[in-house]
Amino acid sequence: MPMHDLLFKGHVVTAHAVLENGWVAVDAGRISRVGQGLPPTARHVEDHGDALILPGAIDAQVHSRSQKGQEDFVWSTRAAAAGGVTTIADMPYDDGFLVCTADNLRQKAREAGEQARVDFALWGTIAPDDGPQHIPEMAQAGACGFKFSTFGTDPVRFPRIPPDLLAACFESVAQTGLIAGVHNEDDEMVRARIAAVTRSGITDWRAHGLSRPALAETLAMAQIYETAAATGCSGHVVHCSVARGYALCEAYRRQGVDTTVEACIHYLVLDEEHDVARLGGRAKINPPIRPRAEVEGIWAHLAAGNVTIVSTDHVSWSLARKSDPDMLKNASGVPGLDVLYPLLLTELSRRNLSPTHASRLLSENPARLFRLTAGKGGLAPGRDADITIARRETWHYDPAASDNVLTDWSPYAGRALDWRIAGTWLRGQQVFDGQIVLATPGTGRFVTPEQPSGLR
């Protein structure tokens, strides 16, 4: 029997089973073997007892540069390592720098490569005046997918892509074999509702949900999925806050359309009547956090297998951008990279759901979505040894007490959690020891898609 470089012992969590008394053998930074029972020999053994051995998470939706001079990859990837996230897919809407050409994508990859502590992939997008002309060259430059929006958050940094142009973009993306991911809110309806809320004089926490009704989201999703059906493109909704949206996605899949849908972690753990009412601007996110009934509806879809992936939609706004008493004047988005795994594992265990859901939703499916399965996507021979150790422990999350996050605020502050990250390994090298991020800037690599593969 060969002597392996490294061996992990514990409860091994694959996408389909938990191997108690399991082990993972690593050689030259890649997984060699996965098994159960009597382990092979290794030069170094990490014995984690009854802790979970999980695949490093792939966070499909991160905004490292939404606020110039704020977070950047130095901090986003530090938080990622502390949260058991070994690959982030960063969005293209950087403050003052739209990633809409191959040159811009390559520039961002170079700059991120100097800072990143974990691996990273990069989304591309378009400038509306350019149309889809730069999509093929961005795919050649290594884009992991293309992001669009049916709502115009900002005409330059985060523009609306109207229906005919969106269809043209989907046709172009289909030729690359990559995914088209879309922010799903109907522009006309949201603008009408914002105007109505403003006229009503409501400015407190209620204003946000009133201004962005569930129907605005599902109308946009129907457009996105119909466009995917018409163009043959892989159509992905990058966040869905309402249960009906997951039913829509599954209905199109049953018709043979390649549709997928993403549940951000905040839609699974926060609700409007308790958390938004308490936090105000700190819980402002687009689409909004919904009432508890919608949260439970999403969990029912997750248990049924109708959620493709879970992400954070992470952005570390400065607190000044999240503290306006007028709800609609706050920036949208929250941080979450360092607690993604603990939040999901906690909710799964409290609902008597297997941690295999976490392995599938945070690793296997994101890798398939981005066509990264040659190296990423779970605990299997030949994959990168991206490994996260989670131990059962009751604790209360306090971002102000962490050295691994930029901001001292979070919508999850004070939340009781049942799982803690005890260590993170990237390609067989430890990058987090349970307290300190060990990886230095430049450790992370730019990961790019291989040939497309189907997503079940």
Side-chain angles (χ1 to χ4, degrees):
M1 185 175 290
M3 173 77 74
H4 295 288
D5 292 344
L6 176 62
L7 185 79
F8 293 88
K9 295 171 64 178
H11 296 331
V12 176
V13 184
T14 73
H16 306 289
V18 178
L19 307 179
E20 296 186 2
N21 191 28
W23 48 265
V24 178
V26 175
D27 291 290
R30 293 209 167 212
I31 295 170
S32 301
R33 301 164 64 198
V34 178
Q36 191 173 21
L38 184 66
T41 57
R43 295 177 181 86
H44 178 75
V45 176
E46 289 279 342
D47 189 345
H48 291 279
D50 60 358
L52 301 181
I53 301 176
L54 296 146
I58 301 169
D59 192 338
Q61 191 170 180
V62 175
H63 299 262
S64 298
R65 293 179 163 184
S66 282
Q67 184 176 345
K68 191 173 290 185
Q70 177 71 359
E71 185 173 44
D72 221 331
F73 286 86
V74 169
W75 280 102
S76 66
T77 57
R78 182 170 179 168
V85 177
T86 50
T87 304
I88 66 169
D90 207 76
M91 285 295 178
Y93 302 112
D94 299 352
D95 189 358
F97 189 80
L98 191 67
V99 184
C100 58
T101 67
D103 285 344
N104 283 9
L105 188 86
R106 283 188 284 262
Q107 179 179 332
K108 184 173 180 177
R110 287 194 301 271
E111 293 170 355
E114 295 172 354
Q115 299 181 345
R117 304 170 196 265
V118 300
D119 289 350
F120 62 95
L122 297 178
W123 288 83
T125 188
I126 69 160
D129 289 344
D130 290 342
Q133 64 174 310
H134 297 301
I135 286 173
E137 66 185 38
M138 281 189 283
Q140 288 288 326
C144 66
F146 293 90
K147 173 75 179 291
F148 310 103
S149 181
T150 56
F151 178 80
T153 300
D154 181 276
V156 176
R157 191 181 77 83
F158 204 150
R160 173 182 180 247
I161 306 301
D164 191 57
L165 178 54
L166 187 67
C169 289
F170 270 47
E171 289 173 354
S172 184
V173 174
Q175 297 302 310
T176 71
L178 300 175
I179 61 165
V182 189
H183 178 112
N184 49 308
E185 292 181 294
D186 183 84
D187 192 272
E188 186 176 8
M189 176 171 279
V190 170
R191 294 194 185 283
R193 293 298 180 92
I194 288 173
V197 171
T198 301
R199 287 194 302 270
S200 76
I202 297 173
T203 60
D204 63 12
W205 61 272
R206 297 170 296 162
H208 190 48
L210 291 170
S211 71
R212 302 176 111 93
L215 180 57
E217 203 171 329
T218 52
L219 282 175
M221 292 180 72
Q223 177 197 333
I224 293 160
Y225 291 151
E226 280 296 306
T227 306
T231 60
C233 185
S234 300
H236 179 65
V237 168
V238 299
H239 36 45
C240 180
S241 69
V242 294
R244 177 155 177 77
Y246 296 89
L248 279 173
C249 181
E250 182 58 21
Y252 276 91
R253 288 191 68 75
R254 287 198 301 268
Q255 296 169 44
V257 185
D258 187 6
T259 54
T260 49
V261 63
E262 187 168 334
C264 299
I265 190 65
H266 40 261
Y267 300 134
L268 293 168
V269 301
L270 303 177
D271 65 49
E272 184 181 45
E273 57 265 47
H274 298 102
D275 300 299
V276 181
R278 173 175 56 90
L279 296 166
R282 298 188 193 195
K284 181 172 180 276
I285 301 166
N286 295 335
I289 292 167
R290 304 292 183 184
R292 174 52 53 175
E294 290 288 4
V295 176
E296 295 306 317
I298 297 172
W299 273 103
H301 279 290
L302 187 151
N306 296 338
V307 175
T308 312
I309 63 173
V310 172
S311 70
T312 60
D313 200 3
H314 169 97
V315 55
S316 288
W317 296 112
S318 61
L319 193 53
R321 300 284 297 274
K322 300 289 287 181
S323 302
D324 198 302
D326 187 337
M327 185 68 168
L328 297 185
K329 292 183 179 178
N330 291 286
S332 296
V334 297
L337 269 165
D338 61 317
V339 282
L340 174 59
Y341 247 136
L343 285 166
L344 185 57
L345 288 170
T346 295
E347 290 297 317
L348 287 169
S349 60
R350 290 178 184 178
R351 294 169 182 271
N352 295 315
L353 293 172
S354 172
T356 57
H357 287 284
S359 180
R360 188 163 54 253
L361 296 168
L362 296 183
S363 185
E364 181 182 87
N365 282 359
R368 290 185 179 182
L369 193 73
F370 293 128
R371 311 355 182 181
L372 300 176
T373 53
K376 307 294 184 184
L379 303 177
R383 299 261 174 84
D384 289 351
D386 296 347
I387 291 172
T388 296
I389 307 298
R391 69 169 184 266
R392 186 176 281 278
E393 176 185 337
T394 300
W395 61 294
H396 288 80
Y397 178 60
D398 181 6
S402 174
D403 292 329
N404 299 315
V405 295
L406 179 64
T407 60
D408 61 2
W409 72 272
S410 166
Y412 313 113
R415 193 173 191 89
L417 299 170
D418 301 333
W419 293 90
R420 187 190 285 273
I421 302 306
T424 309
W425 279 257
L426 174 67
R427 289 177 266 106
Q429 297 297 313
Q430 191 168 14
V431 293
F432 177 63
D433 67 2
Q435 291 185 316
I436 298 169
V437 172
L438 307 173
T440 56
T443 300
R445 297 176 184 172
F446 179 35
V447 294
T448 60
E450 63 267 6
Q451 291 297 313
S453 60
L455 180 66
R456 291 181 58 85

